[in-house]
Amino acid sequence: MPYRVTGDGVGIITVTGSLVNRGAWVGASSGLTSYEGIGFQLKSAAADPAVRSVILDMHSPGGEAVGAFETAALVRDLAARKRTVAVVNGMAASAMYAIASGANEIVTTETGIAGSIGVVLLHADFSRQLDRDGITPTLIHAGAHKVDANPFEPLSDAVREDLQAEVDAFYGAFLGTVAKGRGTPGSPRQRRARRKRALSLARLRSTQGRRHGFGSFARRRSWAARAVA
């Protein structure tokens, strides 16, 4: 079974380490966890009649943007069928927070860190180092943009603008993902509260390191079991 199930029907899916798109069952012992593997667990728990509610036990600084928002959609699908609580059992930052945002509720341990909504792309220019070493790379290519952002020359303004546009597009998708998850209607009281403090883009951008509630893992597991009894 790809997750633990308690005697009272709570499925516990643990996600730790840096997140990558592909890798099936690459796991925490390697320091990586794949969206592919997480997705399989989420879909299995959704279809498992023995699982009445789910805890997502999370400790990750984030990872690749590619695949993160699709995984968050799977969490929203699961939460629509079974009570799903994301427990920030240490850290749920960046892509991990995107995934957590699809749960019915997000709680943290007392020192847990959640949020860090943003996208970063690194370009390293090794041209000066190579020049000092007497090495002159020559890129032979076809296609006007095939070697854009290669590490052997400085970024041109045009390529920098293209890369910034890609980062901005991922950032917009990130904001949209979090808004879909955290904007889900709850009780009438919760809906009234949301109308008073709706998740605007400005507020989403300010969630660096924000914490969402507090509670021990054991207490939340017990609560999740009672919520579906």
Side-chain angles (χ1 to χ4, degrees), residues 4-191:
R4 290 178 289 156
V5 181
T6 68
D8 42 15
V10 180
I12 301 175
I13 297 175
T14 297
V15 182
T16 60
S18 297
L19 306 174
V20 296
N21 187 34
R22 299 291 295 273
W25 292 109
V26 61
S29 60
S30 69
L32 302 173
T33 297
S34 75
Y35 300 134
E36 187 177 15
I38 298 170
F40 179 79
Q41 292 174 288
L42 294 170
K43 287 183 279 190
S44 297
D48 189 346
V51 174
R52 298 188 296 166
S53 61
V54 176
I55 282 178
L56 304 177
D57 172 26
M58 298 178 160
H59 180 61
S60 170
E64 293 182 359
V66 174
F69 310 136
E70 294 88 339
T71 306
L74 291 176
V75 174
R76 292 196 301 272
D77 291 344
L78 174 61
R81 300 175 60 179
K82 301 180 180 184
R83 181 73 179 172
T84 301
V85 179
V87 177
V88 183
N89 196 6
M91 180 179 289
S94 200
M96 186 79 271
Y97 182 75
I99 294 170
S101 72
N104 299 109
E105 184 179 359
I106 301 173
V107 297
T108 82
T109 56
E110 185 173 357
T111 55
I113 298 172
S116 189
I117 298 176
V119 181
V120 61
L121 173 67
L122 169 68
H123 175 267
D125 172 16
F126 293 99
S127 60
R128 286 178 294 175
Q129 179 181 343
L130 292 171
D131 187 58
R132 287 194 300 268
D133 293 339
I135 300 172
T136 304
T138 300
L139 298 173
I140 301 169
H141 64 95
H145 300 287
K146 185 63 176 177
V147 297
D148 281 0
N150 75 77
F152 308 122
E153 61 185 3
L155 280 178
S156 68
D157 289 341
V159 173
R160 182 186 293 273
E161 289 177 4
D162 288 345
L163 294 179
Q164 185 64 58
E166 291 184 18
V167 168
D168 290 345
F170 273 111
Y171 184 48
F174 198 155
L175 295 177
T177 292
V178 174
K180 287 177 184 177
R182 304 326 301 151
T184 302
S187 66
R189 180 178 179 182
Q190 289 171 324
R191 289 196 294 270

